[in-house]
Amino acid sequence: PTPFRLSLMASSSADGTPELQLILKALDLDMPLSVVLGMYLLGSRFWGSHRASSDYDVLLVVSKMPASVHGDKVSTTLSVRGVAVDVSIIEVEEFTERLSIAKYPHLLAFLAPHECVLLEDETMQALRKKVLLSVESLQKEGQDMAEKDWRRARELLQKGDGKRGKKILGHSLRCLALFAQLSEIARSSDSYLALGEVSIDVRSFNAAQDKLECIFGSTWTEYEEDFGPTRITLLDILHGRASEPVDALLQAMLDNSTMQVGYPP
């Protein structure tokens, strides 16, 4: 089975957090609550870089995909006055397989801050405790993501799409920082990472994202000169060719930035 994505407008609880019952009702999948084993907030709310108007990215892990699901994408609208919600649903068997090779974004579920774990039953809690990730799997996924996002950011910035290009560039660096730190932890633990034992502040990697929102360059070369050296060092840390505190590295990148701060010219 493959995960599918949908976009919907779901009414929310008093604090704005999507409610599982309303999401399932909007999906109209005839799926009882007991089928849902885990519910996690990912995306900008996972990273802590969201705004009040930001969408909610929700990952639902289910024991069995509903028989009514056909195709890989569904769209529906529940309420124009509600909160925008992007939902991914995946069976626990496939979720486990993806975790075993450190696949993004599924890996984030067990790294999520407390407020982003909306539901987690005993099955998921047991899975959290037994997941072991190899250094090799973390390196491969981190490298693949770094290359894909860096290439996409370059394409967008070269086309003049600064808003999206900077967003993806910042995301590329924070994801690479996360995988680099996880790889370091794994290397210090006999080359395997016990994911359930990791205590890591994922939001400490938002420095590049925050910085990119208030700086402006006229060419891709400017961004590459400012952020490229940090990317190379993070790749070296990911692959064990260097050892350096990741948060200090990101802060140094910001302190040494020469790009224009303020409004675009």
Side-chain angles (χ1 to χ4, degrees), residues 21-71:
Q21 294 94 329
L22 292 171
I23 288 176
L24 296 183
K25 180 180 178 181
L27 298 179
D28 192 25
L29 295 178
D30 190 25
M31 184 168 66
L33 294 180
S34 59
V35 171
V36 181
L37 308 179
M39 180 178 179
Y40 306 90
L41 281 181
L42 304 181
S44 62
R45 295 180 185 275
F46 167 92
W47 293 103
S49 58
H50 61 284
R51 298 175 181 175
S53 59
S54 296
D55 291 356
Y56 284 87
D57 293 286
V58 177
L59 173 66
L60 295 182
V61 183
V62 298
S63 57
K64 186 174 179 60
M65 196 69 81
S68 55
V69 173
H70 300 287

mmCIF file of all heavy atoms in Angstrom, residues 21-71:
data_model
loop_
_atom_site.group_PDB
_atom_site.id
_atom_site.type_symbol
_atom_site.label_atom_id
_atom_site.label_comp_id
_atom_site.label_asym_id
_atom_site.label_seq_id
_atom_site.Cartn_x
_atom_site.Cartn_y
_atom_site.Cartn_z
ATOM 1 N N GLN A 21 -11.440 13.161 14.812
ATOM 2 C CA GLN A 21 -12.792 12.796 14.422
ATOM 3 C C GLN A 21 -13.271 13.605 13.221
ATOM 4 O O GLN A 21 -13.897 13.080 12.291
ATOM 5 C CB GLN A 21 -13.768 13.018 15.596
ATOM 6 C CG GLN A 21 -13.529 12.102 16.780
ATOM 7 C CD GLN A 21 -12.621 12.769 17.817
ATOM 8 O OE1 GLN A 21 -11.757 13.584 17.460
ATOM 9 N NE2 GLN A 21 -12.816 12.433 19.079
ATOM 10 N N LEU A 22 -12.938 14.904 13.221
ATOM 11 C CA LEU A 22 -13.383 15.767 12.130
ATOM 12 C C LEU A 22 -12.613 15.495 10.845
ATOM 13 O O LEU A 22 -13.157 15.600 9.747
ATOM 14 C CB LEU A 22 -13.233 17.233 12.545
ATOM 15 C CG LEU A 22 -14.203 17.663 13.657
ATOM 16 C CD1 LEU A 22 -13.855 19.056 14.159
ATOM 17 C CD2 LEU A 22 -15.635 17.626 13.160
ATOM 18 N N ILE A 23 -11.340 15.137 10.986
ATOM 19 C CA ILE A 23 -10.552 14.793 9.803
ATOM 20 C C ILE A 23 -11.127 13.539 9.144
ATOM 21 O O ILE A 23 -11.328 13.483 7.928
ATOM 22 C CB ILE A 23 -9.069 14.580 10.171
ATOM 23 C CG1 ILE A 23 -8.422 15.931 10.507
ATOM 24 C CG2 ILE A 23 -8.323 13.911 9.028
ATOM 25 C CD1 ILE A 23 -6.990 15.822 10.974
ATOM 26 N N LEU A 24 -11.408 12.506 9.949
ATOM 27 C CA LEU A 24 -11.945 11.264 9.404
ATOM 28 C C LEU A 24 -13.325 11.495 8.788
ATOM 29 O O LEU A 24 -13.667 10.901 7.757
ATOM 30 C CB LEU A 24 -12.023 10.202 10.496
ATOM 31 C CG LEU A 24 -10.678 9.757 11.084
ATOM 32 C CD1 LEU A 24 -10.888 8.647 12.101
ATOM 33 C CD2 LEU A 24 -9.716 9.301 9.994
ATOM 34 N N LYS A 25 -14.103 12.366 9.403
ATOM 35 C CA LYS A 25 -15.418 12.678 8.862
ATOM 36 C C LYS A 25 -15.291 13.362 7.507
ATOM 37 O O LYS A 25 -16.025 13.067 6.553
ATOM 38 C CB LYS A 25 -16.187 13.572 9.835
ATOM 39 C CG LYS A 25 -17.587 13.944 9.346
ATOM 40 C CD LYS A 25 -18.296 14.836 10.361
ATOM 41 C CE LYS A 25 -19.674 15.256 9.853
ATOM 42 N NZ LYS A 25 -20.366 16.153 10.820
ATOM 43 N N ALA A 26 -14.334 14.288 7.408
ATOM 44 C CA ALA A 26 -14.119 15.008 6.149
ATOM 45 C C ALA A 26 -13.656 14.066 5.050
ATOM 46 O O ALA A 26 -14.024 14.208 3.886
ATOM 47 C CB ALA A 26 -13.098 16.117 6.357
ATOM 48 N N LEU A 27 -12.844 13.081 5.420
ATOM 49 C CA LEU A 27 -12.333 12.127 4.439
ATOM 50 C C LEU A 27 -13.417 11.165 3.971
ATOM 51 O O LEU A 27 -13.334 10.606 2.879
ATOM 52 C CB LEU A 27 -11.179 11.321 5.041
ATOM 53 C CG LEU A 27 -9.947 12.118 5.466
ATOM 54 C CD1 LEU A 27 -8.907 11.195 6.062
ATOM 55 C CD2 LEU A 27 -9.365 12.863 4.292
ATOM 56 N N ASP A 28 -14.414 10.969 4.818
ATOM 57 C CA ASP A 28 -15.523 10.066 4.489
ATOM 58 C C ASP A 28 -14.997 8.687 4.090
ATOM 59 O O ASP A 28 -15.379 8.133 3.054
ATOM 60 C CB ASP A 28 -16.374 10.658 3.363
ATOM 61 C CG ASP A 28 -17.695 9.919 3.191
ATOM 62 O OD1 ASP A 28 -18.159 9.300 4.172
ATOM 63 O OD2 ASP A 28 -18.236 9.945 2.067
ATOM 64 N N LEU A 29 -14.112 8.136 4.932
ATOM 65 C CA LEU A 29 -13.487 6.856 4.618
ATOM 66 C C LEU A 29 -14.096 5.689 5.383
ATOM 67 O O LEU A 29 -13.639 4.566 5.250
ATOM 68 C CB LEU A 29 -11.979 6.923 4.930
ATOM 69 C CG LEU A 29 -11.163 7.886 4.076
ATOM 70 C CD1 LEU A 29 -9.713 7.882 4.509
ATOM 71 C CD2 LEU A 29 -11.277 7.516 2.602
ATOM 72 N N ASP A 30 -15.116 5.963 6.190
ATOM 73 C CA ASP A 30 -15.739 4.901 6.982
ATOM 74 C C ASP A 30 -14.672 4.138 7.765
ATOM 75 O O ASP A 30 -14.582 2.912 7.706
ATOM 76 C CB ASP A 30 -16.513 3.950 6.069
ATOM 77 C CG ASP A 30 -17.388 2.979 6.869
ATOM 78 O OD1 ASP A 30 -17.764 3.332 8.013
ATOM 79 O OD2 ASP A 30 -17.652 1.871 6.368
ATOM 80 N N MET A 31 -13.860 4.888 8.501
ATOM 81 C CA MET A 31 -12.738 4.304 9.234
ATOM 82 C C MET A 31 -12.901 4.603 10.717
ATOM 83 O O MET A 31 -12.937 5.759 11.129
ATOM 84 C CB MET A 31 -11.419 4.906 8.722
ATOM 85 C CG MET A 31 -10.171 4.307 9.338
ATOM 86 S SD MET A 31 -8.671 4.814 8.437
ATOM 87 C CE MET A 31 -8.639 6.570 8.775
ATOM 88 N N PRO A 32 -13.006 3.580 11.561
ATOM 89 C CA PRO A 32 -13.169 3.829 13.005
ATOM 90 C C PRO A 32 -11.903 4.420 13.616
ATOM 91 O O PRO A 32 -10.792 4.223 13.110
ATOM 92 C CB PRO A 32 -13.437 2.423 13.562
ATOM 93 C CG PRO A 32 -12.810 1.494 12.578
ATOM 94 C CD PRO A 32 -12.986 2.141 11.231
ATOM 95 N N LEU A 33 -12.078 5.135 14.707
ATOM 96 C CA LEU A 33 -10.933 5.762 15.380
ATOM 97 C C LEU A 33 -9.899 4.726 15.792
ATOM 98 O O LEU A 33 -8.699 5.016 15.823
ATOM 99 C CB LEU A 33 -11.410 6.541 16.608
ATOM 100 C CG LEU A 33 -12.291 7.767 16.362
ATOM 101 C CD1 LEU A 33 -12.657 8.407 17.693
ATOM 102 C CD2 LEU A 33 -11.594 8.767 15.474
ATOM 103 N N SER A 34 -10.336 3.523 16.126
ATOM 104 C CA SER A 34 -9.424 2.492 16.612
ATOM 105 C C SER A 34 -8.397 2.066 15.579
ATOM 106 O O SER A 34 -7.357 1.487 15.912
ATOM 107 C CB SER A 34 -10.218 1.265 17.073
ATOM 108 O OG SER A 34 -10.998 0.743 16.001
ATOM 109 N N VAL A 35 -8.664 2.351 14.304
ATOM 110 C CA VAL A 35 -7.726 1.992 13.239
ATOM 111 C C VAL A 35 -6.502 2.914 13.258
ATOM 112 O O VAL A 35 -5.420 2.536 12.828
ATOM 113 C CB VAL A 35 -8.432 2.060 11.863
ATOM 114 C CG1 VAL A 35 -7.433 1.913 10.726
ATOM 115 C CG2 VAL A 35 -9.502 0.985 11.771
ATOM 116 N N VAL A 36 -6.677 4.137 13.777
ATOM 117 C CA VAL A 36 -5.580 5.113 13.803
ATOM 118 C C VAL A 36 -4.676 4.835 14.998
ATOM 119 O O VAL A 36 -5.097 4.899 16.149
ATOM 120 C CB VAL A 36 -6.125 6.551 13.880
ATOM 121 C CG1 VAL A 36 -4.962 7.548 13.871
ATOM 122 C CG2 VAL A 36 -7.075 6.825 12.724
ATOM 123 N N LEU A 37 -3.416 4.508 14.706
ATOM 124 C CA LEU A 37 -2.438 4.171 15.752
ATOM 125 C C LEU A 37 -1.604 5.376 16.167
ATOM 126 O O LEU A 37 -1.123 5.445 17.301
ATOM 127 C CB LEU A 37 -1.514 3.055 15.257
ATOM 128 C CG LEU A 37 -2.185 1.807 14.691
ATOM 129 C CD1 LEU A 37 -1.131 0.810 14.229
ATOM 130 C CD2 LEU A 37 -3.106 1.182 15.721
ATOM 131 N N GLY A 38 -1.423 6.303 15.244
ATOM 132 C CA GLY A 38 -0.609 7.478 15.548
ATOM 133 C C GLY A 38 -1.036 8.670 14.714
ATOM 134 O O GLY A 38 -1.476 8.521 13.570
ATOM 135 N N MET A 39 -0.931 9.849 15.299
ATOM 136 C CA MET A 39 -1.282 11.093 14.612
ATOM 137 C C MET A 39 -0.241 12.138 14.990
ATOM 138 O O MET A 39 -0.062 12.457 16.173
ATOM 139 C CB MET A 39 -2.681 11.542 15.029
ATOM 140 C CG MET A 39 -3.166 12.829 14.371
ATOM 141 S SD MET A 39 -4.870 13.210 14.909
ATOM 142 C CE MET A 39 -5.169 14.751 14.046
ATOM 143 N N TYR A 40 0.467 12.667 13.987
ATOM 144 C CA TYR A 40 1.604 13.541 14.246
ATOM 145 C C TYR A 40 1.527 14.798 13.384
ATOM 146 O O TYR A 40 1.141 14.747 12.221
ATOM 147 C CB TYR A 40 2.921 12.813 13.939
ATOM 148 C CG TYR A 40 3.059 11.498 14.653
ATOM 149 C CD1 TYR A 40 2.595 10.316 14.073
ATOM 150 C CD2 TYR A 40 3.638 11.431 15.921
ATOM 151 C CE1 TYR A 40 2.710 9.097 14.732
ATOM 152 C CE2 TYR A 40 3.759 10.220 16.592
ATOM 153 C CZ TYR A 40 3.289 9.063 15.992
ATOM 154 O OH TYR A 40 3.402 7.850 16.651
ATOM 155 N N LEU A 41 1.915 15.915 13.968
ATOM 156 C CA LEU A 41 2.047 17.162 13.214
ATOM 157 C C LEU A 41 3.453 17.255 12.658
ATOM 158 O O LEU A 41 4.436 17.172 13.406
ATOM 159 C CB LEU A 41 1.788 18.367 14.117
ATOM 160 C CG LEU A 41 0.346 18.735 14.449
ATOM 161 C CD1 LEU A 41 0.321 19.977 15.331
ATOM 162 C CD2 LEU A 41 -0.478 18.953 13.191
ATOM 163 N N LEU A 42 3.550 17.449 11.344
ATOM 164 C CA LEU A 42 4.855 17.609 10.709
ATOM 165 C C LEU A 42 4.900 19.001 10.057
ATOM 166 O O LEU A 42 4.237 19.910 10.502
ATOM 167 C CB LEU A 42 5.078 16.483 9.686
ATOM 168 C CG LEU A 42 4.964 15.050 10.238
ATOM 169 C CD1 LEU A 42 5.239 14.038 9.137
ATOM 170 C CD2 LEU A 42 5.914 14.827 11.407
ATOM 171 N N GLY A 43 5.713 19.164 9.039
ATOM 172 C CA GLY A 43 5.773 20.440 8.344
ATOM 173 C C GLY A 43 6.285 21.576 9.218
ATOM 174 O O GLY A 43 7.069 21.378 10.144
ATOM 175 N N SER A 44 5.798 22.772 8.943
ATOM 176 C CA SER A 44 6.308 23.960 9.633
ATOM 177 C C SER A 44 6.004 23.935 11.124
ATOM 178 O O SER A 44 6.753 24.505 11.928
ATOM 179 C CB SER A 44 5.722 25.230 9.003
ATOM 180 O OG SER A 44 4.311 25.261 9.136
ATOM 181 N N ARG A 45 4.935 23.261 11.520
ATOM 182 C CA ARG A 45 4.597 23.202 12.941
ATOM 183 C C ARG A 45 5.512 22.238 13.685
ATOM 184 O O ARG A 45 5.757 22.414 14.879
ATOM 185 C CB ARG A 45 3.117 22.849 13.113
ATOM 186 C CG ARG A 45 2.227 23.953 12.560
ATOM 187 C CD ARG A 45 0.752 23.677 12.686
ATOM 188 N NE ARG A 45 0.009 24.754 12.025
ATOM 189 C CZ ARG A 45 -0.322 25.901 12.592
ATOM 190 N NH1 ARG A 45 -0.009 26.131 13.848
ATOM 191 N NH2 ARG A 45 -0.980 26.824 11.917
ATOM 192 N N PHE A 46 6.009 21.243 13.001
ATOM 193 C CA PHE A 46 7.031 20.370 13.576
ATOM 194 C C PHE A 46 8.312 21.167 13.827
ATOM 195 O O PHE A 46 8.914 21.095 14.901
ATOM 196 C CB PHE A 46 7.307 19.202 12.619
ATOM 197 C CG PHE A 46 8.538 18.403 12.953
ATOM 198 C CD1 PHE A 46 8.459 17.289 13.765
ATOM 199 C CD2 PHE A 46 9.785 18.758 12.436
ATOM 200 C CE1 PHE A 46 9.591 16.542 14.070
ATOM 201 C CE2 PHE A 46 10.919 18.029 12.737
ATOM 202 C CZ PHE A 46 10.823 16.912 13.549
ATOM 203 N N TRP A 47 8.721 21.951 12.833
ATOM 204 C CA TRP A 47 9.971 22.702 12.933
ATOM 205 C C TRP A 47 9.847 23.944 13.806
ATOM 206 O O TRP A 47 10.844 24.508 14.231
ATOM 207 C CB TRP A 47 10.446 23.110 11.536
ATOM 208 C CG TRP A 47 10.857 21.968 10.669
ATOM 209 C CD1 TRP A 47 10.148 21.410 9.641
ATOM 210 C CD2 TRP A 47 12.076 21.227 10.741
ATOM 211 N NE1 TRP A 47 10.849 20.382 9.075
ATOM 212 C CE2 TRP A 47 12.037 20.245 9.728
ATOM 213 C CE3 TRP A 47 13.201 21.304 11.566
ATOM 214 C CZ2 TRP A 47 13.069 19.341 9.523
ATOM 215 C CZ3 TRP A 47 14.237 20.408 11.363
ATOM 216 C CH2 TRP A 47 14.175 19.439 10.356
ATOM 217 N N GLY A 48 8.617 24.388 14.031
ATOM 218 C CA GLY A 48 8.430 25.599 14.823
ATOM 219 C C GLY A 48 8.580 26.869 14.019
ATOM 220 O O GLY A 48 8.735 27.952 14.578
ATOM 221 N N SER A 49 8.528 26.750 12.699
ATOM 222 C CA SER A 49 8.694 27.923 11.829
ATOM 223 C C SER A 49 7.352 28.393 11.260
ATOM 224 O O SER A 49 7.325 29.185 10.322
ATOM 225 C CB SER A 49 9.654 27.604 10.680
ATOM 226 O OG SER A 49 9.180 26.499 9.920
ATOM 227 N N HIS A 50 6.251 27.893 11.816
ATOM 228 C CA HIS A 50 4.928 28.211 11.292
ATOM 229 C C HIS A 50 4.471 29.603 11.723
ATOM 230 O O HIS A 50 5.009 30.204 12.652
ATOM 231 C CB HIS A 50 3.912 27.179 11.796
ATOM 232 C CG HIS A 50 3.784 27.160 13.283
ATOM 233 N ND1 HIS A 50 4.731 26.588 14.107
ATOM 234 C CD2 HIS A 50 2.824 27.668 14.119
ATOM 235 C CE1 HIS A 50 4.363 26.725 15.360
ATOM 236 N NE2 HIS A 50 3.225 27.378 15.399
ATOM 237 N N ARG A 51 3.461 30.068 11.030
ATOM 238 C CA ARG A 51 2.750 31.286 11.396
ATOM 239 C C ARG A 51 1.310 30.906 11.716
ATOM 240 O O ARG A 51 0.894 29.768 11.502
ATOM 241 C CB ARG A 51 2.803 32.294 10.243
ATOM 242 C CG ARG A 51 4.232 32.723 9.905
ATOM 243 C CD ARG A 51 4.270 33.621 8.704
ATOM 244 N NE ARG A 51 5.629 34.020 8.371
ATOM 245 C CZ ARG A 51 5.956 34.723 7.301
ATOM 246 N NH1 ARG A 51 5.028 35.111 6.455
ATOM 247 N NH2 ARG A 51 7.228 35.050 7.070
ATOM 248 N N ALA A 52 0.551 31.872 12.194
ATOM 249 C CA ALA A 52 -0.842 31.579 12.571
ATOM 250 C C ALA A 52 -1.644 31.050 11.388
ATOM 251 O O ALA A 52 -2.547 30.229 11.544
ATOM 252 C CB ALA A 52 -1.493 32.827 13.139
ATOM 253 N N SER A 53 -1.308 31.505 10.192
ATOM 254 C CA SER A 53 -2.056 31.111 8.990
ATOM 255 C C SER A 53 -1.514 29.853 8.324
ATOM 256 O O SER A 53 -2.060 29.406 7.305
ATOM 257 C CB SER A 53 -2.039 32.261 7.971
ATOM 258 O OG SER A 53 -0.700 32.593 7.625
ATOM 259 N N SER A 54 -0.449 29.286 8.862
ATOM 260 C CA SER A 54 0.177 28.116 8.239
ATOM 261 C C SER A 54 -0.750 26.902 8.251
ATOM 262 O O SER A 54 -1.514 26.693 9.199
ATOM 263 C CB SER A 54 1.475 27.753 8.972
ATOM 264 O OG SER A 54 2.442 28.775 8.856
ATOM 265 N N ASP A 55 -0.659 26.104 7.187
ATOM 266 C CA ASP A 55 -1.411 24.854 7.134
ATOM 267 C C ASP A 55 -0.919 23.896 8.211
ATOM 268 O O ASP A 55 0.201 24.019 8.710
ATOM 269 C CB ASP A 55 -1.228 24.176 5.773
ATOM 270 C CG ASP A 55 -1.897 24.948 4.651
ATOM 271 O OD1 ASP A 55 -2.560 25.951 4.942
ATOM 272 O OD2 ASP A 55 -1.735 24.538 3.489
ATOM 273 N N TYR A 56 -1.763 22.936 8.534
ATOM 274 C CA TYR A 56 -1.367 21.829 9.398
ATOM 275 C C TYR A 56 -1.008 20.642 8.506
ATOM 276 O O TYR A 56 -1.795 20.268 7.630
ATOM 277 C CB TYR A 56 -2.510 21.422 10.330
ATOM 278 C CG TYR A 56 -2.733 22.355 11.492
ATOM 279 C CD1 TYR A 56 -3.556 23.470 11.361
ATOM 280 C CD2 TYR A 56 -2.136 22.120 12.724
ATOM 281 C CE1 TYR A 56 -3.770 24.328 12.432
ATOM 282 C CE2 TYR A 56 -2.341 22.980 13.797
ATOM 283 C CZ TYR A 56 -3.160 24.075 13.636
ATOM 284 O OH TYR A 56 -3.362 24.921 14.696
ATOM 285 N N ASP A 57 0.172 20.077 8.698
ATOM 286 C CA ASP A 57 0.574 18.859 7.993
ATOM 287 C C ASP A 57 0.451 17.705 8.973
ATOM 288 O O ASP A 57 1.198 17.641 9.956
ATOM 289 C CB ASP A 57 2.014 18.984 7.487
ATOM 290 C CG ASP A 57 2.141 20.038 6.404
ATOM 291 O OD1 ASP A 57 1.704 19.768 5.277
ATOM 292 O OD2 ASP A 57 2.661 21.136 6.698
ATOM 293 N N VAL A 58 -0.488 16.802 8.713
ATOM 294 C CA VAL A 58 -0.795 15.721 9.640
ATOM 295 C C VAL A 58 -0.439 14.381 9.027
ATOM 296 O O VAL A 58 -0.801 14.096 7.876
ATOM 297 C CB VAL A 58 -2.294 15.737 10.023
ATOM 298 C CG1 VAL A 58 -2.633 14.563 10.939
ATOM 299 C CG2 VAL A 58 -2.669 17.058 10.684
ATOM 300 N N LEU A 59 0.278 13.566 9.786
ATOM 301 C CA LEU A 59 0.576 12.194 9.386
ATOM 302 C C LEU A 59 -0.268 11.256 10.242
ATOM 303 O O LEU A 59 -0.194 11.293 11.474
ATOM 304 C CB LEU A 59 2.060 11.882 9.585
ATOM 305 C CG LEU A 59 2.464 10.415 9.358
ATOM 306 C CD1 LEU A 59 2.282 10.025 7.893
ATOM 307 C CD2 LEU A 59 3.912 10.175 9.791
ATOM 308 N N LEU A 60 -1.082 10.433 9.596
ATOM 309 C CA LEU A 60 -1.863 9.410 10.279
ATOM 310 C C LEU A 60 -1.265 8.041 9.968
ATOM 311 O O LEU A 60 -1.097 7.690 8.800
ATOM 312 C CB LEU A 60 -3.326 9.430 9.823
ATOM 313 C CG LEU A 60 -4.181 10.661 10.128
ATOM 314 C CD1 LEU A 60 -5.606 10.434 9.633
ATOM 315 C CD2 LEU A 60 -4.177 10.974 11.614
ATOM 316 N N VAL A 61 -0.938 7.280 11.001
ATOM 317 C CA VAL A 61 -0.468 5.903 10.844
ATOM 318 C C VAL A 61 -1.622 5.001 11.239
ATOM 319 O O VAL A 61 -2.148 5.108 12.351
ATOM 320 C CB VAL A 61 0.765 5.615 11.721
ATOM 321 C CG1 VAL A 61 1.266 4.189 11.483
ATOM 322 C CG2 VAL A 61 1.883 6.625 11.435
ATOM 323 N N VAL A 62 -2.029 4.125 10.327
ATOM 324 C CA VAL A 62 -3.205 3.283 10.566
ATOM 325 C C VAL A 62 -2.815 1.807 10.530
ATOM 326 O O VAL A 62 -1.836 1.415 9.883
ATOM 327 C CB VAL A 62 -4.314 3.559 9.525
ATOM 328 C CG1 VAL A 62 -4.790 4.997 9.621
ATOM 329 C CG2 VAL A 62 -3.837 3.247 8.116
ATOM 330 N N SER A 63 -3.618 0.993 11.225
ATOM 331 C CA SER A 63 -3.347 -0.449 11.239
ATOM 332 C C SER A 63 -3.675 -1.082 9.896
ATOM 333 O O SER A 63 -3.020 -2.044 9.476
ATOM 334 C CB SER A 63 -4.154 -1.129 12.347
ATOM 335 O OG SER A 63 -5.541 -0.876 12.187
ATOM 336 N N LYS A 64 -4.674 -0.534 9.209
ATOM 337 C CA LYS A 64 -5.057 -1.032 7.888
ATOM 338 C C LYS A 64 -5.690 0.091 7.092
ATOM 339 O O LYS A 64 -6.542 0.819 7.593
ATOM 340 C CB LYS A 64 -6.022 -2.209 8.018
ATOM 341 C CG LYS A 64 -6.374 -2.882 6.693
ATOM 342 C CD LYS A 64 -7.215 -4.115 6.922
ATOM 343 C CE LYS A 64 -7.591 -4.790 5.597
ATOM 344 N NZ LYS A 64 -6.405 -5.218 4.841
ATOM 345 N N MET A 65 -5.277 0.211 5.824
ATOM 346 C CA MET A 65 -5.831 1.252 4.966
ATOM 347 C C MET A 65 -7.290 0.933 4.651
ATOM 348 O O MET A 65 -7.627 -0.215 4.362
ATOM 349 C CB MET A 65 -5.019 1.351 3.669
ATOM 350 C CG MET A 65 -5.267 2.626 2.895
ATOM 351 S SD MET A 65 -4.606 4.100 3.716
ATOM 352 C CE MET A 65 -2.881 4.006 3.247
ATOM 353 N N PRO A 66 -8.184 1.907 4.720
ATOM 354 C CA PRO A 66 -9.598 1.664 4.435
ATOM 355 C C PRO A 66 -9.812 1.100 3.031
ATOM 356 O O PRO A 66 -9.130 1.498 2.079
ATOM 357 C CB PRO A 66 -10.233 3.057 4.557
ATOM 358 C CG PRO A 66 -9.267 3.853 5.360
ATOM 359 C CD PRO A 66 -7.910 3.303 5.058
ATOM 360 N N ALA A 67 -10.751 0.183 2.923
ATOM 361 C CA ALA A 67 -11.033 -0.437 1.625
ATOM 362 C C ALA A 67 -11.589 0.570 0.627
ATOM 363 O O ALA A 67 -11.527 0.365 -0.587
ATOM 364 C CB ALA A 67 -12.018 -1.587 1.813
ATOM 365 N N SER A 68 -12.141 1.672 1.141
ATOM 366 C CA SER A 68 -12.756 2.671 0.268
ATOM 367 C C SER A 68 -11.739 3.556 -0.451
ATOM 368 O O SER A 68 -12.106 4.354 -1.303
ATOM 369 C CB SER A 68 -13.704 3.563 1.077
ATOM 370 O OG SER A 68 -13.014 4.152 2.173
ATOM 371 N N VAL A 69 -10.458 3.421 -0.105
ATOM 372 C CA VAL A 69 -9.433 4.257 -0.726
ATOM 373 C C VAL A 69 -9.104 3.722 -2.118
ATOM 374 O O VAL A 69 -8.709 2.570 -2.281
ATOM 375 C CB VAL A 69 -8.146 4.308 0.128
ATOM 376 C CG1 VAL A 69 -7.037 5.041 -0.626
ATOM 377 C CG2 VAL A 69 -8.423 4.982 1.447
ATOM 378 N N HIS A 70 -9.281 4.566 -3.105
ATOM 379 C CA HIS A 70 -8.929 4.215 -4.477
ATOM 380 C C HIS A 70 -8.094 5.353 -5.048
ATOM 381 O O HIS A 70 -8.458 6.519 -4.928
ATOM 382 C CB HIS A 70 -10.175 4.000 -5.332
ATOM 383 C CG HIS A 70 -11.068 2.903 -4.834
ATOM 384 N ND1 HIS A 70 -10.739 1.569 -4.945
ATOM 385 C CD2 HIS A 70 -12.267 2.953 -4.191
ATOM 386 C CE1 HIS A 70 -11.710 0.834 -4.418
ATOM 387 N NE2 HIS A 70 -12.640 1.652 -3.941
ATOM 388 N N GLY A 71 -7.001 5.038 -5.699
ATOM 389 C CA GLY A 71 -6.114 6.071 -6.202
ATOM 390 C C GLY A 71 -5.199 6.574 -5.110
ATOM 391 O O GLY A 71 -5.146 6.029 -4.003
#
